[in-house]
Amino acid sequence: MSRRLSVLACLVTSIVLTVATATPAIAAPPSDWDYIAMGDSYSSGVGTSGQSGSCLRSPNAYPGLWDSANDPASYRMVACSGATTSSLRSGQLSALSTTTDLVSVTIGGNDAGFAETVLTCTLTSDKGCAAKVDEQLELLDEEIPARLDATYREIRAKAPNAKVVVLGYPLLFDVNAPSCGFAGMSIPKRKSLNHGATELNQVTEERVRAAGFTWSDVTDEFAGHGVCGPSPWLHGLTLLPPTDSFHPNGNGHKYGYLAALNSVLH
């Protein structure tokens, strides 16, 4: 063999070996995967049937639906309603290990003051709503990126072999319907809140990609199914239980979040 061919053969062999050793555990079929679902209420299942416990976890949230459809080797739900990056790091990371193959997570909405902002917009004027969203966007620029970076670093440290999928948040509102029902949001308020969600998703996507994780945007799946629209996949203002307010319903988890998770796993 000539020197040139010999060098080429070594190079090809080196590339093959590198690719082979870099292949993550996720390359195995789902039946072999160890799956951990982490995050906040959008992952725990608030808004769906079957919620239980202080974390309001439901088997009908998208992680449970994925588990039922794929029957992985193991599945554990540790997402919790109200979770922030801080509480995730202190209370959920222990579920991860070197054998974890798949992690899904939604996080950041509570750090950005999601509930407080929606409540303010419900009770105040269009101008007051816009001001509250702008206030939270300053926090988003100044503090949230570092919080997300720290969270993603710790997830990777605890689960070095896992495929980590970070899912975003839907735009809550349909902005075309002139009326949004009793105590519903005006169109300017809906646009302000959707703008806030768009900005949060953009910041999150940047940090997800910087961490080397997989980003899954759910806005396409939820398009046309916002609150106030003809076929909403999210609850509007809900009195019983009030925690369901502005969270995905069963269709939102099945056709929105589950579809978004599947889109990056196949």
Side-chain angles (χ1 to χ4, degrees), residues 169-258:
Y169 297 97
L171 303 187
L172 289 178
F173 296 97
D174 180 295
V175 297
N176 297 311
S179 174
C180 202
F182 175 73
M185 301 281 189
S186 66
I187 290 177
K189 290 181 181 180
R190 286 179 251 164
K191 288 183 176 179
S192 291
L193 286 164
N194 281 358
H195 172 63
T198 297
E199 293 296 313
L200 175 58
N201 281 334
Q202 288 178 350
V203 168
T204 305
E205 179 180 6
E206 290 174 0
R207 305 328 307 155
V208 167
R209 297 196 185 283
F213 291 170
T214 299
W215 166 251
S216 186
D217 189 345
V218 303
T219 56
D220 285 347
E221 284 79 7
F222 277 86
H225 298 285
V227 178
C228 310
S231 178
W233 288 356
L234 298 121
H235 295 280
L237 184 63
T238 305
L239 298 180
L240 293 174
T243 49
D244 280 359
S245 298
F246 307 109
H247 283 84
N249 58 27
N251 283 339
H253 278 273
K254 183 176 182 179
Y255 301 114
Y257 271 99
L258 178 61

Side-chain angles (χ1 to χ4, degrees), residues 50-101:
Q51 302 170 52
S52 64
S54 60
C55 285
L56 301 179
R57 293 170 182 151
S58 169
N60 297 307
Y62 75 87
L65 298 177
W66 192 91
D67 170 54
S68 296
N70 294 278
D71 192 26
S74 69
Y75 162 64
R76 185 177 176 189
M77 160 71 83
V78 295
C80 191
S81 176
T84 61
T85 52
S86 177
S87 65
L88 183 153
R89 292 163 63 192
S90 64
Q92 299 183 28
L93 289 175
S94 61
L96 303 176
S97 72
T98 57
T99 65
T100 303
D101 298 295

